[in-house]
Amino acid sequence: MTDIELTIKNPHLSSRSAKADFLVDSGAAYTIVPKKIVKELGLKPSFYREFILADGKKVKRVIGSAVVRYGNEEISSPVVLGEKK
């Protein structure tokens, strides 16, 4: 397991950003942004996507947009907007 530090920005208000450690999953298609950061940055939902978990359970999650920065590289990306645990 590896953690990396990412900076997440609101794509419409680049002055709103947050740094956090994220767990790397080489098989993941989306970055999951914790609920606290979603709220802090004011990230907005765009659509829902259904996922199948490792145990076969299906879940629906909200997808939004964010700017993700790692080191000197930055890109706009769809992200899963985290929910309360």
Side-chain angles (χ1 to χ4, degrees):
M1 299 290 189
T2 302
D3 286 335
I4 59 170
E5 183 180 77
L6 297 177
T7 300
I8 307 295
K9 296 180 184 178
N10 181 314
H12 306 291
L13 298 166
S14 62
S15 62
R16 294 177 91 173
S17 68
K19 284 185 181 180
D21 289 331
F22 288 79
L23 178 66
V24 174
D25 178 349
S26 61
Y30 291 91
T31 298
I32 300 174
V33 179
K35 178 81 172 174
K36 177 182 175 186
I37 294 175
V38 170
K39 201 169 187 178
E40 179 182 330
L41 301 183
L43 300 179
K44 302 294 182 198
S46 297
F47 58 92
Y48 285 88
R49 167 107 344 126
E50 189 173 87
F51 296 92
I52 300 173
L53 303 180
D55 65 1
K57 180 180 172 185
K58 291 182 181 181
V59 296
K60 274 190 170 180
R61 294 292 182 257
V62 179
I63 307 296
S65 295
V67 175
V68 179
R69 181 177 187 83
Y70 174 67
N72 294 325
E73 298 175 346
E74 186 173 280
I75 191 166
S76 293
S77 178
V79 296
V80 176
L81 304 181
E83 300 178 351
K84 282 187 173 182
K85 290 185 178 183

